[in-house]
Amino acid sequence: MVNQGIELTVRADVIRNARFSWTTDFNFTWLRNEVTALVDPIVSAFNITEVGGPIAQLYGFQWAGVNPANGNPIYMRGDESLIQFNLQQGNTGWRVFDPNNPADISQATGGLGGNDLMNLGNTLPTWQGGWSNNFTYGNFDAEIFFRYSGGNFIMNETMRGQLGMGFSNNNALILDRWTESGQVTDVPRLFAGQDANIWATGAANSRFVERGDFLRVQNIVVGYRVPTAFLDNTFNGNVRSARFFAQVQNPFILTAYTGLDPELNTFPGNQLQFGVDFNAAPIIRTWSLGLNVGF
Amino acid sequence: MKRTKFNSIGLSLLVATGLTIGACDVTDQTPVTLVPEEEAFADPARVLGNVLGVYDAAQRGFFLGAIQRGYPFGAASIQQGDMRAGDMYNDQLFYEITYIGAHTPATANNAEFWSSIYRLINRANVVLAGLDQALENGVITQEAFNGFRGEMLTIRAHAHFELLLHVSRPYSSNPQAMGIPYRDFAVNVVNLVDEAIQVDRGTVAGVYERVLEDLNEAEQLGGGPAPLRVSPAAAIALKSRVFLHKEEWASVIEEYEKLQGQFSLTPTPEVPFTSPRQNTESIFSYNNTPESNPGVNGALAAMYGNPQLGGRGLVKISPFSWNWDFWHPEDSRRSELTTQDAAGIYTAKYTGYIDRDDPAPMFRYAEVVLNAAEAHARLGNLNEALELLNSVRDRALPASVPSYTLAAVGGDAMGLLDHIWKERRIEFLAEGIRWYDIHRLSGRGDLDGIPPKAPSRAVTSIAFYDPNSEEFQNLGTDHALPFTSDSFLWPIPLQEVANNPVLAAQQNPGF
């Protein structure tokens, strides 16, 4: 396996005078990962690691939408033909999907198989970095630190669970389910007990693969240093310094990812199963207020 | 001055590193708990430990990288069989892929079943090789060797046969259909992998031949004490099952006769479950214990058990099974071996709700008896068949209910066979055996495949079990799979085809 990349850092004192200073530090990392030799491909539930690609690519079935005529889910086979799972009591099963005649469910066909699994995206961020800014104004100081990352894909397995067909524990998106002929949506009609066919469980599914790009405000700090003269007068020189501060970690994130957080990883200890968000616990937001005293 | 200080730290680090490297040459780094391969069979206690380790692999193998869920035989073979067959009903997401037949090479249940079966087989093969070595070195007696070898051969044959019934077409439809690789040598060093992957699927008939070869030898060699260790009786019971699938009727009866006298039906049908570790009927069960159980996410009592009693109730008895017209209302298998709550009716065959330590039944004498009944019926010995059928049925019924007469079951062999199959569904409900019957009977054309089931997750209350209720009338059916469907079989899992070009070229059609 090879990792190649570049790292750039820019640091600048943008403003520096007696009352006000602004220092900024920006860094950028670009990374390319490629597996170069392996005895055999390594396959797990959502990922594949194989020669020629990055480690732990998402591996699964290709979603092709909801049939507007009947609400059936459509998938694309490895040979690019389309199949739909017919959701009709007493007449369930895989059928050929004909884009020119979506209502046609007459041709039975086999279900999804090993030849229909495809690479659905790289799970390692290809670019990432941070940008920190420090300000002072008289006795006040402030810091704001951004982090950004992207170029990777996430399998939002949590969302697949939340769109379960049991009509319980659902995401609000279940309200978009197909209900009438001609309706264009990306949630099939409800049909209890067919989750495994509807959402092609057991492997990743491109329906739930999302971009992991984000810009996060990682940290904001505001502080005030108590003037030395005041400390000397009040404490007779027993207190050398004092600083009040307020801090918030992880206050905002800008991302198109629909799950709780694009940095969640259900299998953090396993580099071969990267990029899967499967009911992982969210990253917390922390507020702190404090006083530093030096004696 | 500062510079000098750093240099000396650097120097001392260098010296420390040198010392550490030097120390490696003389320190034995092998953990004391790890027994090197060449010593694994060096004394009788270790030999026994290795033999019991194979039971452990059977009772609780790997599932998704962790030891859990009772794959393949601690619970999973029964659960997967029941979920494929449909006499038991699936109430949650847990077994839904199996229940609705949505398996692919990527789905976990079928994939891990395959992997854990071959892991078990390899362990048995490692022990078989080690036993040869131990005997040669005089570590164990010939008698001990024979017993251990008998156990390992039976376990190996059973594991192959179980997988065959999921992955291959039945012998009764086409003995020349693709089988599964019969692995008979230990893969314990990397370069043997290349040799192992040369073994192709062969034919179903070929696998039967190897299974019977192993079992015939095991039967002669001996084994451990029934029912929690494999005894020669386990080999015989499995042979009776294998011959039934192979439609060698006379052999089925011959195997039954070997066990007559050694085993007997318990006076009432619940005893093999209330006293699973000691009774006259259980021939072999894989033991589970509080210390080593399939966990809450796999144990039979957890998955099948009534939530009011501490189970999770993920699998209930199907309302259609409960309302079979051939299941007598006074049958004690209704009263003694089921329990109910507001949400449905559950099996009570597995009651270790807290410890999850119910032994997983593999072979009961009742099965051997009903196998022989079917063989007799096929050969036209209707009275013998009827008597055996009644021996299983009558013990569950009050004296006021008469035994079946030939006239009552239709007066001919076909009517009798039909009633034997029905009796098997009642007697072995929640024991996974119905799948074996669907597999072989579909191959003969006696069934069309997997019959319609209660729709997954549709049975939400006890009202569904009342045949006159609106709920039952409107329940409908789903998930039937014709014998001709590719999904009638499980595929070879992705992990295998990604690593084994020989099997990749022999994947089941449609996957």
Side-chain angles (χ1 to χ4, degrees), chain B residues 383-406:
Chain B
N383 289 324
E384 286 87 342
L386 187 67
E387 193 184 323
L388 292 173
L389 168 60
N390 277 329
S391 70
V392 172
R393 179 173 177 264
D394 287 349
R395 65 175 179 164
L397 292 168
S400 54
V401 179
S403 301
Y404 279 141
T405 60
L406 204 49

Side-chain angles (χ1 to χ4, degrees), chain B residues 30-61:
Chain B
T30 313
V32 287
T33 50
L34 184 80
V35 180
E37 184 112 13
E38 59 272 18
E39 291 169 30
F41 293 88
D43 69 57
R46 284 182 182 169
V47 173
L48 178 63
N50 284 313
V51 167
L52 297 180
V54 176
Y55 284 86
D56 184 62
Q59 170 253 348
R60 206 171 57 138

Side-chain angles (χ1 to χ4, degrees), chain B residues 81 84-85 165-166 432-439 450 488:
Chain B
R84 296 200 79 182
L165 299 188
H166 285 291
I433 287 179
R434 175 66 178 159
W435 166 249
Y436 310 147
D437 289 348
I438 290 176
H439 190 258
I450 300 176
F488 188 79

Side-chain angles (χ1 to χ4, degrees), chain A residues 40 92 114 117 193-195 197 202, chain B residues 100 102 106 457 478 494 499 511:
Chain A
D40 286 308
T92 53
L117 291 158
Q194 288 289 354
D195 295 56
N197 285 315
Chain B
I100 71 176
R457 290 196 260 178
D478 206 347
L494 203 55
N499 296 298
F511 294 103

Side-chain angles (χ1 to χ4, degrees), chain A residues 255-279:
Chain A
T255 180
Y257 182 64
T258 61
L260 283 177
D261 195 307
E263 285 194 288
L264 292 184
N265 240 315
T266 296
F267 307 107
N270 190 341
Q271 191 62 56
L272 295 170
Q273 297 187 38
F274 213 66
V276 179
D277 173 1
F278 186 2
N279 299 342

Side-chain angles (χ1 to χ4, degrees), chain A residues 40-45 59 61 77 89-92 110-115 117 165-166 191-197 201-203, chain B residues 64 93 96-97 100-108 455-458 475-479 486-487 494-495 498-501 507 510-511:
Chain A
D40 286 308
I42 304 169
V43 184
S44 56
Y59 192 53
F61 297 113
R77 281 196 184 282
Q89 181 90 39
N91 189 23
T92 53
L112 294 164
N115 296 329
L117 291 158
M165 293 286 140
F191 198 98
Q194 288 289 354
D195 295 56
N197 285 315
T201 52
Chain B
L64 296 178
L93 191 61
E96 193 159 272
I97 290 172
I100 71 176
H103 43 268
T104 70
T107 44
S456 184
R457 290 196 260 178
L475 181 55
T477 59
D478 206 347
H479 321 308
D486 290 334
S487 296
L494 203 55
Q495 274 173 321
N499 296 298
N500 186 334
Q507 178 62 286
F511 294 103

Side-chain angles (χ1 to χ4, degrees), chain A residues 120-132:
Chain A
L120 300 179
N122 160 41
T123 57
L124 287 182
T126 51
W127 46 266
Q128 56 188 309
W131 181 30
S132 78

Side-chain angles (χ1 to χ4, degrees), chain A residues 67 74 82-84 95-105 107:
Chain A
N67 185 341
I74 309 168
L82 297 172
I83 56 173
Q84 56 183 321
R95 305 282 189 272
V96 172
F97 174 75
D98 175 3
N100 300 318
N101 186 7
D104 179 14
I105 50 159
Q107 288 184 71

